[in-house]
């Protein structure tokens, strides 16, 4: 790699993800009013559409309908949801109702609960609230959570690249595989699993990414879209092709994100992650998980205790897309009365994970590894 340290230090300072060369974030406060604009991810990759959220209900709907998705971005949107609620009424009952509504939107990504707890703790610490004061404080705290997410993802990028660099130096190139979308669309900027890939690419490494489609919601298409925006070479594959590619030695490392990491380092992530980890282990390919502190649930002892979201079966039965003239629509591929199961996440056992990459560095996927990175969590 060409002077990677220097390049990376520069990356730490100036990089921001771009659409058509314009630096863009997934969620942006609107100047002058209490509102945020989001990229509507249900329209991607076929259309780039922005939606304005002005109320608690808008925020809850955006999370539930997956206009915003990905664990870190769900947390940030929930924080803004609280701030939008308090912009209407600045009282305790409104705060509690907002937290209850947002907490019920999606069960698996713990970043949602982390962000809500942080908002509550911050607002509770305010002495004798007066008109407008809590609303302002909520807005500022939501913005702080968003900024921290950006910084954490940037750091994950650097630490993840540190893990990948020796392979890149030895092989002269990097063949990576990812699953779902853990890129900048799943965070505020940079991403988790994709941040090290962007860092490697920006450092001049010859990198190629195998992107699995991620049925049934096809978040892999979001990954392909954002890699294309950044110019990173990639190839989309059917989920079922991953085992073949891994077993044939076509992949140097697999890197994925996480929705919740238990205290013993078991990892819940998008359905299909488990099978990739299993195949990677059999093929002797390193399997990395990248996530910020807000994804680690030290109160959750192991993967069995992580709630797994079961989503509507129509996500399998009906496939959205555009027709050959570009018109948006959907097709039914399974009869309405066919029984289907649609678990949205699975749990990969810690013993199959080569390392966990966080904003503080990488650690072995063990309880001790996590505690060494976050010693203060002993008192959580
Ligand atoms: O259902 P989704 O699209 O919200 O699931 C997203 C994932 O599983 C991601 O891999 C995870 O949230 C990490 S995002 C940085």
């Amino acid at each position: 790699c060409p002077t990677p340290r220097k390049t990376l230090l520069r990356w730490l300072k100036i990089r921001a993800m771009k659409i058509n060369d314009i630096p863009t974030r997934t969620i942006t406060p609107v100047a002058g009013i209490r509102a945020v604009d989001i990229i509507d991810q249900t329209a991607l990759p076929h259309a780039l559409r922005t939606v304005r959220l002005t109320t608690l209900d808008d925020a809850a709907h955006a999370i539930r309908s997956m206009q915003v998705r990905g664990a870190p971005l769900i947390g940030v949107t929930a924080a803004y949801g609280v701030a939008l609620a308090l912009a209407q009424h600045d009282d305790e009952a409104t705060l509690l109702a907002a937290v209850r509504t947002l907490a019920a939107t999606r069960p698996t990504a713990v970043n949602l609960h982390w962000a809500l707890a942080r908002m509550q703790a911050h607002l509770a610490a305010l002495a004798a609230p007066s008109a407008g004061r809590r609303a302002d404080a909520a807005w500022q705290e939501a913005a702080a959570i968003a900024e921290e997410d950006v910084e954490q993802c940037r750091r994950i990028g650097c630490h993840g690249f540190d893990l990948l660099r020796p392979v890149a130096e030895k092989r002269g190139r990097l063949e990576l595989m990812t699953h779902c979308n853990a890129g900048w669309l799943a965070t505020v900027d940079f991403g988790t699993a994709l941040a090290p890939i962007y860092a490697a690419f920006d450092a001049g490494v010859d990198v190629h990414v195998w992107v699995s489609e991620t049925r049934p919601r096809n978040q892999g298409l979001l990954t392909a879209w954002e890699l294309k925006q950044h110019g990173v070479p990639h190839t989309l594959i059917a989920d079922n092709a991953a085992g073949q590619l891994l077993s044939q030695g076509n992949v140097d490392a697999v890197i994925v994100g996480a929705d919740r990491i238990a205290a013993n380092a078991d990892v819940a992530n998008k359905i299909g992650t488990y099978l990739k980890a299993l195949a990677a282990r059999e093929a002797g390919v390193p399997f990395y998980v990248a996530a910020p502190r807000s994804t680690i649930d030290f109160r959750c002892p192991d993967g069995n205790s992580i709630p797994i979201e079961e989503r509507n079966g129509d996500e399998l039965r009906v496939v959205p897309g555009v027709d050959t003239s570009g018109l948006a629509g959907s097709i039914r591929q399974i009869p309405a009365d066919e029984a289907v199961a649609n678990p949205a996440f699975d749990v990969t056992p810690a013993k199959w994970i080569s390392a966990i990459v966080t904003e503080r560095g990488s650690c072995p996927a063990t309880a001790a590894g996590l505690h060494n990175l976050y010693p203060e969590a002993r008192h959580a």
Side-chain angles (χ1 to χ4, degrees):
C1 312
T3 57
R5 268 280 158 213
K6 232 163 113 190
T7 315
L8 274 180
L9 285 176
R10 203 167 61 233
W11 196 76
L12 262 175
K13 286 206 182 82
I14 60 167
R15 277 244 55 89
M17 307 318 289
K18 295 179 181 165
I19 300 177
N20 299 329
D21 262 351
I22 301 168
T24 311
R25 287 184 172 181
T26 51
I27 187 163
T28 319
V30 181
I33 55 169
R34 290 289 192 242
V36 285
D37 284 343
I38 56 159
I39 294 175
D40 178 358
Q41 301 192 26
T42 60
L44 286 172
H46 306 295
L48 180 60
R49 191 166 67 202
T50 304
V51 168
R52 183 155 294 181
L53 312 182
T54 59
T55 65
L56 164 68
D57 285 348
D58 288 348
H61 171 75
I63 297 171
R64 217 180 287 117
S65 66
M66 295 176 66
Q67 285 178 317
V68 291
R69 42 144 303 281
L73 182 57
I74 289 171
V76 172
T77 308
Y80 273 116
V82 170
L84 289 172
L86 290 187
Q88 312 269 320
H89 298 288
D90 203 1
D91 56 80
E92 189 64 17
T94 303
L95 172 61
L96 290 179
V99 167
R100 222 180 7 254
T101 300
L102 290 160
T105 50
R106 296 195 70 191
T108 304
V110 76
N111 309 59
L112 172 69
H113 305 284
W114 174 89
L116 293 174
R118 176 162 157 179
M119 291 297 283
Q120 274 190 293
H122 182 72
L123 295 169
L126 286 180
S130 57
R133 190 159 167 255
R134 286 181 116 195
D136 288 346
W139 195 257
Q140 283 154 16
E141 190 64 2
I145 290 174
E147 285 307 320
E148 283 170 30
D149 186 67
V150 174
E151 193 48 37
Q152 287 173 347
C153 287
R154 249 200 277 246
R155 289 181 181 282
I156 287 172
C158 290
H159 295 305
F161 182 38
D162 275 345
L163 280 181
L164 300 173
R165 191 189 298 124
V167 186
E169 281 169 353
K170 196 163 155 210
R171 289 244 296 147
R173 54 195 279 266
L174 267 181
E175 283 289 340
L176 301 172
M177 180 180 282
T178 190
H179 186 58
C180 191
N181 171 261
W184 71 266
L185 286 170
T187 63
V188 178
D189 209 341
F190 298 106
T192 57
L194 294 198
I197 297 175
Y198 289 128
F201 179 78
D202 289 347
V205 175
D206 179 7
V207 58
H208 169 263
V209 191
W210 299 102
V211 179
S212 53
E213 197 181 18
T214 316
R215 283 282 290 148
R217 286 214 48 133
N218 293 333
Q219 288 93 330
L221 304 189
L222 302 176
T223 296
W225 181 84
E226 62 162 272
L227 289 174
K228 188 184 270 175
Q229 293 292 324
H230 202 74
V232 181
H234 61 278
T235 306
L236 200 59
I237 54 166
D239 295 327
N240 288 338
Q244 166 71 4
L245 290 166
L246 284 159
S247 70
Q248 295 304 299
N250 291 326
V251 182
D252 296 317
V254 181
I255 182 158
V256 299
D259 286 83
R260 192 182 299 225
I261 301 177
N264 74 340
D266 286 349
V267 167
N269 191 49
K270 181 53 55 193
I271 194 77
T273 304
Y274 174 97
L275 284 177
K276 281 197 177 57
L278 183 61
R281 177 173 169 261
E282 182 62 21
V285 173
F287 186 91
Y288 300 121
V289 173
R293 165 68 183 90
S294 50
T295 304
I296 306 170
D297 186 356
F298 283 101
R299 292 187 179 159
C300 178
D302 54 39
N304 288 329
S305 314
I306 299 176
I308 299 297
E309 179 178 15
E310 179 73 29
R311 291 187 62 87
N312 194 308
D314 280 351
E315 290 185 348
L316 270 89
R317 296 187 189 100
V318 180
V319 183
V322 291
D323 65 18
T324 45
S325 63
L327 205 65
S330 55
I331 56 158
R332 170 172 294 288
Q333 62 166 5
I334 302 175
D337 62 354
E338 191 66 64
V340 298
N342 188 15
F345 301 94
D346 57 29
V347 175
T348 299
K351 63 184 178 192
W352 296 351
I353 298 168
S354 312
I356 292 180
V357 187
T358 77
E359 73 282 358
R360 289 198 187 172
S362 304
C363 70
T366 59
L370 291 173
H371 270 296
N372 285 342
L373 281 186
Y374 299 97
E376 71 280 9
R378 278 179 219 283
H379 314 293

